[in-house]
Amino acid sequence: GTIITSQSDIFLDNVKGTVIGITGTKGKSTTSSLITDILKKKGLDASLVGNIGEPTLKYLKDDNPDKIYIYELSSFQLETVNKSPDISIILNLYKDHLDHHKNFKDYVNAKSKITQFQKEDNILIFNKEDPIVKEIASKSKAKKIPFNPKNDPLGIRKDITVPAEVLLIVSKIFDISDELIIETISSFTPLPHRLENVG
């Protein structure tokens, strides 16, 4: 009968703004950062929160329906949630964090919570080339929008490992032009400690 909760669970249960939740084993931070930059360039009130940004609970004080939160969600943050984001993005799934999760199935179950509680009017953007992600998406009630991580209609810089289709899909939802996406990418500073050329 004990209730186990967390900062992510409390935030998702009380937030009034729109939440874009992003998970996956690799690429969460760069994807979250780029989406935040694109939305801000459009003039939207966007904040990067969660696993990379500021602690989420501090945002509830000044929260309102016009705010957009780009929420990077790790498996640790997702395992206790009982509500999913308005827009969920699953980038990929590989074996990871098995020092914390009992096994790979538990890790996948934690990640799947990003869409488990979504409703028909929510959106799930998912990697159709990843069989585990595809299986999670098949059980979702949300409107499903697949992407192929290898498709790059924008010609993204090779030093940025982000699926271009994800940026396009999110930008279309918020009525943002391709030109603004490309402009944001061209001035984007890659995050430290990611993939870098060393020789």
Side-chain angles (χ1 to χ4, degrees), residues 57-76:
L57 294 185
K58 69 175 277 185
Y59 287 93
L60 289 179
K61 183 182 176 185
D62 299 313
D63 181 38
N64 67 66
D66 292 328
K67 290 187 177 286
I68 303 169
Y69 302 98
I70 298 83
Y71 199 166
E72 181 186 324
L73 287 158
S74 69
S75 59
F76 303 152

Side-chain angles (χ1 to χ4, degrees), residues 7-9 11-12 19-23 28-29 32-33 36 47-59 68-78 81 194:
Q7 186 170 194
S8 48
D9 190 31
F11 179 78
L12 289 170
V19 179
I20 304 172
I22 301 169
T23 200
K28 297 186 297 296
S29 298
S32 302
S33 300
T36 305
S47 300
L48 179 63
V49 302
N51 202 45
I52 182 175
E54 297 281 349
T56 49
L57 294 185
K58 69 175 277 185
Y59 287 93
I68 303 169
Y69 302 98
I70 298 83
Y71 199 166
E72 181 186 324
L73 287 158
S74 69
S75 59
F76 303 152
Q77 291 164 308
L78 284 167
V81 303
R194 268 60 187 184

